[in-house]
Amino acid sequence: MAWAATVSDGVVLSLHCQPGAKASRVVGLHDERLKIQLQAPPLENRANEALVAWLAEQLGVPRKQIDLLTGQTSRQKRVLVRGATLEQVQRLLTTI
């Protein structure tokens, strides 16, 4: 699974985010990254906030356990989910 890697304090996700969609959901892979459509617009950090909230809900973890590592202004993002396991992330996010 090229889009997720175990690190000492959780799992790092490599994501390709597409803001402005009708609904937030996983839609497949994009260049070995998990592609996620986000309902929020790409304005004033709203898409990043929506991504963190959506991931927290999908993975069943508090928002404070999710950190945006890179890609604050890009579609290509790396996100740390502290306390998660690779198996948990794979089970809850993989739809392909």
Side-chain angles (χ1 to χ4, degrees), residues 10-71:
V11 176
V12 173
L13 307 177
S14 295
L15 306 174
H16 177 86
C17 298
Q18 180 181 12
K22 291 184 179 182
S24 295
R25 63 190 180 113
V26 173
V27 292
L29 293 176
H30 181 81
D31 292 336
E32 294 191 2
R33 294 176 176 266
L34 190 65
K35 184 174 181 179
I36 299 177
Q37 291 180 335
L38 297 169
Q39 191 171 12
L43 302 170
E44 300 170 358
N45 206 35
R46 284 191 249 167
N48 289 336
E49 292 170 6
L51 173 64
V52 170
W54 184 82
L55 284 171
E57 181 180 330
Q58 297 303 307
L59 297 173
V61 299
R63 289 183 190 190
K64 65 183 179 182
Q65 286 184 222
I66 299 176
D67 290 323
L68 189 59
L69 300 176
T70 63

Side-chain angles (χ1 to χ4, degrees), residues 52 78 88-89:
V52 170
R78 290 182 63 236
Q88 174 189 20
V89 167

Side-chain angles (χ1 to χ4, degrees), residues 71-91:
Q72 283 77 3
T73 60
S74 170
R75 289 180 177 222
Q76 309 294 325
K77 301 183 185 298
R78 290 182 63 236
V79 177
L80 171 63
V81 183
R82 287 189 309 281
T85 65
L86 193 60
E87 295 77 24
Q88 174 189 20
V89 167
Q90 183 178 12
R91 184 179 75 250

